[in-house]
Amino acid sequence: MQNLETSQAKTAAQNLSYDRTDWQRGYESQRNESDYWIDDIEGKIPADLQGTFFRNGPGLLDINGDRIHHPFDGDGMVCAIVFSDGRAHFRNRFVHTEGYLAEQTAGKILHRGVFGTQKAGGWLNNIFDLKIKNIANTNIIYWGGKLLALWEAAAPYRLDPCTLETIGLDTLDGILQPGEPFAAHPRIEKGKNGAGDRLINFSVKPGLSSTITIYELDESGKLLKNHAHRIPGFAFLHDMVVTPNYCIFFQNPVSFNPLPFVLGMRSASQCIQFSPDKPTQAILIPRNGTDAVQILETEPCFVFHHCNAWEEGGEVFVDSVCYESFPNVGPDGDFLEIDFDSLPAGELWRFKLNLPDKTVQHQVVESRCCEFPTLHPNHVGQPYRYLYIGAADAPMGNAPLQAILKVDFLTGEQQIWSAAPRGFAGEPVFVPRGLSVSPDTATPDTATAEDDGWLLMLMYDAAKHRSSLVILDARDITKGPVARLHLKNHIPYGLHGSFTSNVLLP
Ligand code: CO
């Protein structure tokens, strides 16, 4: 009672930008799969916006009424919004993974989840069950003619890019051995001087020492190179950044004691212990695959996502979203009831890695709670001026994402557009203006400025209990959306997405 009163007093005093019940409803399962032309549109879809926006995330937060413990354990549901000649078509489909099909048939939870979901019946029913369900829920990319739903601990699921029907587990034409995972955070390096684009991704086999494998694929999906590296310690690596010469990882200062997981008492992620007295390690793997791996130490912090990295004057810069410690939900916790004030908020940090001296300096660029960074695709691995990121409405404190923040690193200026009080934000995706316009027909000034493009973001509107695709002009997001495409249903808060200039309709 004491706690409840304190919490209510705190809420009133803080004058929150959101209502918790609103936020919670964005986590309701969406069981319906639908496809239709979107007819409820405010504003106008930009004429040059042609192509397909994909987004992945947990579609089910329960199995037949039994709640899963954490959204990260939810079955992947892919949304596709196709822009064609000023119109937009919506489609969503569940990824028909082996586990999804089995649980839908059984009508109950059959698998343990990495983030805390357990089978009913307590530890006795979970002991020694180390099989984890591939939920294919984290990212979705269209590469080499294949649409791939990614989840970092397993191989990708391939979907039909037009209908989103599941084709099955995919080895990338034999690049992946049976059981070999493929991370959910590939980086795409734009080809220069006539060279094609490259997809660079990784996989991790964690253990007492861990193996990181790097893959580089050409535009057709063919393997250009792969190389594996053993690094000391248990590696918990969700994301990676690239520069022309390096793949860069941040090894969070965590230890892993698998015993409670093996005994059925905790999930794998709940066995991860953050060590605030140990440094975070920046691991630089040379992309040539032959030079020695370099490991530098910096402040203890926890990173899920990096924004970008680049090389400049012999130093390597990395921008990341940093947490003070690992934000986890314990076995007895309920993620819908989390006390935001007790959890660390993501902040934007810039790291400067001096390789000859083996030193790292960092500065906090933005302390407003933020997550899900994006930038102009031409600047991946290169110096850049503009970053766009999901952010809290308030400048201080931890809170759900309700806004988009634009940071201009050159001038230090910021712009913000907020959907508060009843709108909730997700990951923005930057689409350069005229991406699908051929160079011959493009006007001379097309896409010359780094912020000349559109930000696409699926937001949840609690007032109507539905989701909307919001399109912002990245040059000035304070003007508000140029278009809001209202969907007929809500889409639970998602994870990552991507855009391709291919108009993928059946
Ligand atoms: Co991620």
Side-chain angles (χ1 to χ4, degrees):
M1 204 58 204
Q2 179 78 46
N3 278 345
L4 186 64
E5 277 164 9
T6 317
S7 153
Q8 281 170 344
K10 215 185 266 176
T11 302
Q14 282 175 338
N15 196 12
L16 296 178
S17 66
Y18 64 96
D19 176 86
R20 181 180 283 268
T21 317
D22 276 356
W23 171 73
Q24 288 172 334
R25 289 194 76 200
Y27 277 120
E28 280 179 15
S29 294
Q30 178 52 268
R31 289 170 224 286
N32 296 321
E33 297 181 318
S34 47
D35 40 280
Y36 52 88
W37 287 96
I38 301 169
D39 56 14
D40 188 355
I41 298 174
E42 283 177 66
K44 197 165 179 289
I45 298 172
D48 70 295
L49 190 61
Q50 292 265 104
T52 307
F53 169 73
F54 289 112
R55 211 215 55 187
N56 200 351
L60 291 183
L61 285 302
D62 70 281
I63 308 294
N64 205 18
D66 288 338
R67 282 182 54 199
I68 58 168
H69 191 75
H70 193 290
F72 291 174
D73 286 341
D75 288 301
M77 185 180 80
V78 174
C79 297
I81 294 174
V82 187
F83 298 94
S84 174
D85 301 323
R87 297 205 298 157
H89 184 274
F90 174 81
R91 182 185 304 269
N92 71 313
R93 290 289 183 275
F94 280 94
V95 185
H96 284 201
T97 64
E98 200 188 331
Y100 169 82
L101 293 173
E103 289 187 334
Q104 290 306 304
T105 304
K108 62 176 183 178
I109 294 172
L110 298 175
H111 299 276
R112 304 176 72 189
V114 173
F115 287 87
T117 303
Q118 300 269 53
K119 295 180 288 186
W123 65 273
L124 268 174
N125 206 28
N126 288 278
I127 189 167
F128 301 135
D129 180 0
L130 308 186
K131 201 167 158 265
I132 297 290
K133 179 171 66 160
N134 178 352
I135 43 179
N137 73 355
T138 312
N139 204 344
I140 175 90
I141 53 163
Y142 184 65
W143 191 261
K146 287 182 179 182
L147 183 65
L148 301 167
L150 305 176
W151 184 66
E152 67 196 33
Y157 266 89
R158 183 179 176 189
L159 314 181
D160 181 302
C162 297
T163 65
L164 303 183
E165 299 305 325
T166 302
I167 297 169
L169 272 174
D170 198 86
T171 64
L172 309 175
D173 301 320
I175 293 172
L176 304 176
Q177 301 302 309
E180 190 172 345
F182 197 61
H185 275 286
R187 297 275 167 177
I188 294 169
E189 182 182 59
K190 281 285 161 197
K192 295 206 165 54
N193 307 319
D197 297 349
R198 278 182 187 215
L199 182 135
I200 306 151
N201 201 10
F202 66 99
S203 67
V204 183
K205 282 188 191 139
L208 290 176
S209 68
S210 306
T211 302
I212 303 174
T213 304
I214 306 289
Y215 312 84
E216 298 203 12
L217 277 59
D218 73 8
E219 282 179 317
S220 71
K222 206 175 113 240
L223 185 71
L224 294 168
K225 58 171 133 176
N226 60 349
H227 38 97
H229 305 268
R230 226 166 160 69
I231 56 150
F234 170 81
F236 182 69
L237 306 169
H238 175 68
D239 195 6
M240 162 190 79
V241 260
V242 297
T243 67
N245 290 300
Y246 300 101
C247 291
I248 303 162
F249 300 85
F250 274 26
Q251 167 63 58
N252 298 309
V254 292
S255 58
F256 181 66
N257 169 15
L259 199 62
F261 170 60
V262 175
L263 294 179
M265 293 151 71
R266 284 169 175 257
S267 73
S269 84
Q270 289 162 349
C271 298
I272 291 173
Q273 190 74 41
F274 186 80
S275 312
D277 51 337
K278 286 190 187 151
T280 286
Q281 293 180 324
I283 302 167
L284 294 95
I285 298 181
R287 283 176 58 187
N288 63 19
T290 51
D291 290 350
V293 173
Q294 301 189 53
I295 298 179
L296 276 59
E297 294 189 345
T298 183
E299 293 288 302
C301 59
F302 193 92
V303 175
F304 283 114
H305 296 126
H306 299 288
C307 312
N308 196 24
W310 68 99
E311 299 171 24
E312 200 174 303
E315 288 170 322
V316 176
F317 291 80
V318 181
D319 288 350
S320 311
V321 180
C322 288
Y323 297 79
E324 219 170 68
S325 66
F326 178 39
N328 200 7
V329 180
D332 303 319
D334 178 349
F335 77 89
L336 289 175
E337 301 297 339
I338 56 163
D339 174 10
F340 280 94
D341 295 322
S342 73
L343 282 179
E347 297 182 334
L348 183 59
W349 288 22
R350 174 161 292 180
F351 297 87
K352 187 164 78 171
L353 283 56
N354 185 312
L355 302 189
D357 295 351
K358 287 194 164 293
T359 56
V360 180
Q361 288 175 295
H362 84 271
Q363 65 178 106
V364 180
V365 179
E366 173 56 52
S367 57
R368 182 189 291 259
C369 167
C370 58
E371 244 312 347
F372 296 130
T374 189
L375 67 146
H376 192 300
N378 286 0
H379 291 262
V380 170
Q382 300 291 330
Y384 71 129
R385 178 172 173 179
Y386 299 110
L387 177 81
Y388 315 90
I389 190 164
D393 179 74
M396 307 275 284
N398 192 13
L401 304 180
Q402 293 190 283
I404 301 292
L405 181 71
K406 175 187 179 183
V407 181
D408 181 341
F409 293 121
L410 187 69
T411 63
E413 279 170 42
Q414 295 191 348
Q415 291 179 355
I416 192 158
W417 173 74
S418 177
R422 305 205 72 186
F424 295 87
E427 178 193 65
V429 170
F430 182 89
V431 181
R433 188 188 304 267
L435 180 69
S436 47
V437 179
S438 82
D440 306 335
T441 52
T443 52
D445 64 342
T446 296
T448 47
E450 194 191 310
D451 61 349
D452 195 2
W454 310 107
L455 289 170
L456 310 186
M457 193 259 294
L458 204 53
M459 62 159 280
Y460 171 64
D461 175 10
K464 298 260 170 73
H465 190 43
R466 69 180 178 191
S467 296
S468 305
L469 192 278
V470 165
I471 305 172
L472 291 156
D473 185 337
R475 292 173 302 183
D476 185 358
I477 67 171
T478 62
K479 287 192 295 194
V482 297
R484 296 174 196 242
L485 286 56
H486 302 303
L487 305 183
K488 296 183 195 298
N489 289 314
H490 85 287
I491 304 298
Y493 303 120
L495 295 166
H496 302 292
S498 58
F499 185 87
T500 167
S501 56
N502 294 278
V503 176
L504 296 164
L505 282 168

